[in-house]
Amino acid sequence: MKNKTEENINDSEPNKETPAYSGVLAVKVDDLTVAYNYKPVLWDIDLEIPEGVLMAIVGPNGAGKSTLIKSILSILKPIAGSVTIYGKPYDKQRKLVAYVPQKGSVDWDFPTTALDVVMMGTYGSLGWIKRPRQKEKKAALEALEKVGMLAFKSRQISQLSGGQQQRIFLARALVQNASIYFMDEPFQGVDATTEIAIINILKELRKAGKTVIVVHHDLQTVPEYFDWVTFLNVKKIATGPVKDIFNDDNLTKTYGINYKVSIQE
Amino acid sequence: MNSAQIEIQLIASLVAIACAIPGTFLVLRKMAMISDAISHSILPGIVIGFFITQDLNSPLLILLAAFTGIITVVLVEYIQKTGLVKEDTAIGLVFPALFSIGVILIAKNANDVHLDVDAVLLGELAFAPFDRLFIGGTDVGPKSLWIIGSILAITIGLLLAFFKELKLSTFDKGLAASLGFSPAIIHYGLMSVASVTTVGAFDAVGAILVVALMIAPAATAYLLTTDLKKMLWLAVSFGVLSAISGYWFAHWLDASIAGSITTMLGFIFLIVFLFAPSKGIIAVMYREKQQRIEVSLLTFLLHLKNHTEERERHVNHLQEHINWQKVRAKTVLDLALKNNMIVLNKNIVSLTEKGDTFTSKAIDYIITNEDAQIEDMKADFFLFRG
């Protein structure tokens, strides 16, 4: 199991600090309904994500967590509802948003290197046709350094471990230099060292005033890692500060069984 | 070499290049079978275009055929999306249907014209130099050369312009979509290029060889490199190499050019499949053998570390204790000695300082589930590999 210790994690108790909640909404979701083949996977979701939070989206398998992120990012088309990023539709705000898909969503045997994958993060700001140049390469190298992967820059991506691949994905999001980061299960299948490295970077992002939204599976670590949480199971169950709403009542409502997670004080 | 021979080789090489470029992306997108589908189902487009224009090289015919190619892709995706059948089944349903329409149209109406099923399947590369393009009365070369040349120029232009977008959407569709590079536009763009190329190459090499020229060079290149640009260059080179060597092979055997080129493609793939430095079958087998020995070495070192008593560390006892056959025990012992991991003193084996450090580190990695690190560590410690 994970053997992280408290001192490995910077400011390990975010729920005790005041979140950098400035009253500005980073993301606003209104009446969002998404269906696959007529079966709703997200039902009438209203969600307000304040700027500057580090938020976990939790819920059982099939709750629509990834679907919610993909709908916010216009990768999926909802059948109803709307999404705004800082008050404007996503199309107009692409450059403010970075996305880390699930690691399993790509083919890691693709013939490319770690550096090249990170460079892909710069494509959005380049737009169509324009090629990445020295400036983009420099940014990618800096992002690799931040996630501790600079030594692996020329490594073919299939030669990296699961944790290293996840760090590459994180670096690719960092290079976008966005205001809002969406991450789909960044801790899935990574070793303890990588998990700590990733959470420290996420906390740094929040400190810099960024908004970070993470699909998360490990309920035990929610109070330790995040300051904001959204419970989701097809419908939105609750959203708010971890210290106020991360309780057995909401967990039971979300997971449908009598859930007991004692929050360590 | 006479000029017709040069022209045939030139056409075959241009076709090979024009096919290798979209082929590389089809292979990486795991869509090799789609090119098979397109190459067959464009037949009705060609036949209908031919009835209208009475000219196998008319641009209208190319457009119509390319359009049928796109319809194939759309139909396959539509059937697949219903969730009732899987993608490969959908492909298997769509292209024979369209292809058979083409076959019936030819049989019913085109008996007395230059369009028959054999030519459609295998092409008529040998006849390509006879159909010439005249501009203002001047002979400027075979029509096929101009057609495939134009298609190739467009393909290269698109590749240079959209290389970044193609790479991104092939590797990570989700990110491409979120960054505003519509994967659908890129997908259908690639499918259009593949369709147009297929039509352009069709007349020269036929429906079956088109598939081989798209897939085989890319599949061969995939085994040799971990860089997309190099993969494209290699695929193009293998295509041209097969085209030219295939031509001379056919010349020597007095056999079908299309068939010989396909044979060369298969032959080159086989060679690379066997001998590729890291992904080839032989390299993989060698590496597995090496790893088996190195795992044995590690087991041996762990045993030495766990047992300080001399009885357990006697050379003769190793055999019965670790339960290895003589040959294996000797291989492992030699490897450990060569790497200065152990010393032998009166047939008693002991770990050296280096061997001890190596073993401790390895144990750490195994306990913390970071076995992958052991491979990196081997590079630091081993003077000789297993």
Side-chain angles (χ1 to χ4, degrees):
Chain A
M1 276 308 287
K2 292 155 199 151
N3 53 355
K4 345 179 227 313
T5 53
E6 289 285 302
E7 52 279 10
N8 281 335
I9 298 171
N10 300 338
D11 56 312
S12 59
E13 288 167 275
N15 51 333
K16 286 187 181 160
E17 331 170 337
T18 332
Y21 179 29
S22 56
V24 180
L25 282 185
V27 182
K28 190 165 185 295
V29 177
D30 286 305
D31 308 323
L32 184 80
T33 299
V34 184
Y36 294 135
N37 297 327
Y38 312 111
K39 181 177 173 280
V41 278
L42 283 178
W43 208 321
D44 203 28
I45 305 287
D46 288 308
L47 183 62
E48 296 186 340
I49 305 172
E51 184 183 53
V53 297
L54 175 47
M55 183 179 96
I57 301 177
V58 297
N61 288 333
K65 303 183 293 289
S66 300
T67 307
L68 175 61
I69 286 190
K70 285 182 185 163
S71 313
I72 293 173
L73 298 172
S74 287
I75 298 171
L76 291 175
K77 290 259 169 299
I79 56 172
S82 65
V83 174
T84 54
I85 307 283
Y86 284 111
K88 288 186 196 150
Y90 177 73
D91 285 359
K92 302 238 182 324
Q93 306 282 49
R94 282 183 200 286
K95 287 180 185 168
L96 297 180
V97 177
Y99 171 47
V100 179
Q102 277 186 26
K103 193 162 67 66
S105 67
V106 305
D107 172 15
W108 290 94
D109 285 325
F110 192 84
T112 191
T113 59
L115 176 61
D116 209 34
V117 171
V118 177
M119 297 267 275
M120 288 179 190
T122 66
Y123 289 5
S125 60
L126 286 167
W128 289 88
I129 297 176
K130 253 191 261 162
R131 307 271 191 98
R133 308 218 170 266
Q134 264 337 94
K135 187 181 136 218
E136 282 75 24
K137 191 175 171 188
K138 206 176 138 239
L141 288 171
E142 281 168 14
L144 273 170
E145 183 155 33
K146 226 177 253 174
V147 299
M149 289 290 295
L150 195 56
F152 298 89
K153 66 178 161 84
S154 315
R155 194 68 82 87
Q156 206 264 324
I157 52 174
S158 66
Q159 309 286 320
L160 300 169
S161 72
Q164 291 172 331
Q165 290 173 342
Q166 194 66 60
R167 288 185 199 210
I168 294 298
F169 259 19
L170 182 61
R172 191 178 67 173
L174 290 178
V175 89
Q176 294 185 44
N177 200 15
S179 306
I180 309 176
Y181 292 79
F182 288 93
M183 312 201 174
D184 205 341
E185 302 200 18
F187 303 116
Q188 197 186 41
V190 307
D191 51 280
T193 334
T194 300
E195 179 154 342
I196 293 162
I198 293 176
I199 196 65
N200 283 339
I201 290 169
L202 300 192
K203 286 178 176 177
E204 260 170 49
L205 286 172
R206 188 199 45 191
K207 259 191 198 157
K210 317 277 188 182
T211 310
V212 185
I213 296 135
V214 179
V215 171
H216 194 56
H217 255 304
D218 183 8
L219 293 170
Q220 305 289 341
T221 53
V222 169
E224 194 183 336
Y225 290 173
F226 301 95
D227 57 27
W228 212 265
V229 63
T230 293
F231 290 95
L232 189 73
N233 191 356
V234 185
K235 291 174 162 192
K236 186 191 76 182
I237 312 293
T239 185
V242 170
K243 62 176 188 298
D244 298 339
I245 68 156
F246 192 73
N247 52 39
D248 291 347
D249 184 32
N250 279 326
L251 283 164
T252 307
K253 274 188 203 158
T254 309
Y255 289 85
I257 41 172
N258 218 355
Y259 226 99
K260 291 268 181 277
V261 169
S262 41
I263 301 169
Q264 295 106 4
E265 286 303 319
Chain B
M1 267 197 282
N2 60 38
S3 74
Q5 287 179 322
I6 294 173
E7 281 170 2
I8 290 172
Q9 289 177 69
L10 198 55
I11 294 169
S13 301
L14 292 191
V15 167
I17 300 172
C19 288
I21 293 171
T24 298
F25 290 98
L26 291 177
V27 165
L28 290 174
R29 287 167 171 248
K30 305 182 176 60
M31 292 174 65
M33 285 315 290
I34 266 285
S35 71
D36 194 20
I38 292 175
S39 72
H40 284 78
S41 59
I42 57 173
L43 185 61
I46 291 180
V47 178
I48 294 167
F50 182 71
F51 291 155
I52 298 171
T53 61
Q54 294 296 318
D55 175 6
L56 260 182
N57 291 320
S58 143
L60 176 76
L61 191 137
I62 293 181
L63 281 180
L64 265 178
F67 180 68
T68 345
I70 297 295
I71 289 183
T72 314
V73 178
V74 173
L75 277 177
V76 167
E77 279 167 8
Y78 177 77
I79 296 178
Q80 186 196 348
K81 248 186 213 151
T82 61
L84 299 173
V85 292
K86 300 266 179 266
E87 189 190 8
D88 55 344
T89 316
I91 291 176
L93 288 168
V94 170
F95 88 78
L98 289 168
F99 186 68
S100 57
I101 294 174
V103 171
I104 292 171
L105 283 175
I106 294 177
K108 277 304 271 179
N109 302 303
N111 275 334
D112 47 0
V113 292
H114 160 62
L115 187 66
D116 57 65
V117 176
D118 277 358
V120 160
L121 288 176
L122 294 172
E124 293 285 7
L125 201 50
F127 298 149
F130 297 130
D131 192 6
R132 309 202 67 88
L133 182 70
F134 293 92
I135 296 177
T138 328
D139 178 359
V140 290
K143 270 189 190 167
S144 322
L145 187 62
W146 283 93
I147 291 172
I148 197 64
S150 320
I151 292 172
L152 179 59
I154 295 170
T155 305
I156 292 177
L158 288 171
L159 175 71
L160 290 178
F162 298 110
F163 178 73
K164 170 182 109 225
E165 288 76 6
L166 270 165
K167 180 168 72 177
L168 174 63
S169 75
T170 304
F171 174 62
D172 191 343
K173 237 197 255 178
L175 183 74
S178 82
L179 292 179
F181 302 106
S182 161
I185 292 179
I186 296 161
H187 173 71
Y188 284 107
L190 178 63
M191 288 302 124
S192 308
V193 169
S195 300
V196 172
T197 307
T198 308
V199 188
F202 205 90
D203 186 31
V205 295
I208 293 172
L209 182 55
V210 170
V211 186
L213 276 172
M214 284 208 179
I215 305 310
T220 313
Y222 183 74
L223 296 177
L224 286 172
T225 180
T226 53
D227 180 306
L228 180 56
K229 278 183 194 161
K230 279 186 201 143
M231 183 175 164
L232 277 162
W233 279 113
L234 282 171
V236 164
S237 315
F238 286 132
V240 173
L241 181 66
S242 310
I244 292 174
S245 61
Y247 171 77
W248 288 104
F249 188 52
H251 186 77
W252 177 59
L253 282 181
D254 193 18
S256 145
I257 300 174
S260 303
I261 293 178
T262 316
T263 308
M264 292 317 287
L265 287 167
F267 180 68
I268 293 175
F269 177 80
L270 179 68
I271 298 290
V272 171
F273 180 71
L274 290 176
F275 301 108
S278 76
K279 292 188 196 166
I281 288 288
I282 291 172
V284 169
M285 274 162 54
Y286 176 76
R287 208 163 42 239
E288 277 172 2
K289 178 176 161 268
Q290 184 182 50
Q291 262 166 0
R292 265 201 305 276
I293 292 173
E294 286 172 5
V295 167
S296 303
L297 172 67
L298 196 56
T299 317
F300 174 50
L301 296 178
L302 289 177
H303 179 80
L304 290 179
K305 202 172 161 61
N306 280 341
H307 296 278
T308 38
E309 57 275 34
E310 290 203 344
R311 193 172 55 84
E312 290 276 350
R313 294 191 283 119
H314 194 278
V315 172
N316 290 338
H317 276 275
L318 287 174
Q319 245 163 275
E320 53 193 80
H321 275 267
I322 318 189
N323 201 9
W324 283 337
Q325 286 167 346
K326 253 188 187 159
V327 183
R328 187 143 172 230
K330 187 169 170 1
T331 317
V332 172
L333 203 66
D334 287 348
L335 184 64
L337 277 171
K338 269 201 292 190
N339 281 311
N340 303 328
M341 302 269 192
I342 53 165
V343 280
L344 262 179
N345 191 5
K346 289 179 195 150
N347 277 344
I348 302 294
V349 189
S350 350
L351 282 176
T352 59
E353 204 176 311
K354 183 183 165 193
D356 193 64
T357 325
F358 177 81
T359 316
S360 315
K361 274 196 174 176
I363 295 173
D364 278 354
Y365 285 136
I366 292 169
I367 294 173
T368 53
N369 248 334
E370 290 176 52
D371 315 18
Q373 306 279 359
I374 294 180
E375 285 306 311
D376 292 336
M377 193 173 69
K378 282 179 185 169
D380 296 339
F381 278 86
F382 281 14
L383 304 167
F384 300 92
R385 301 297 297 254

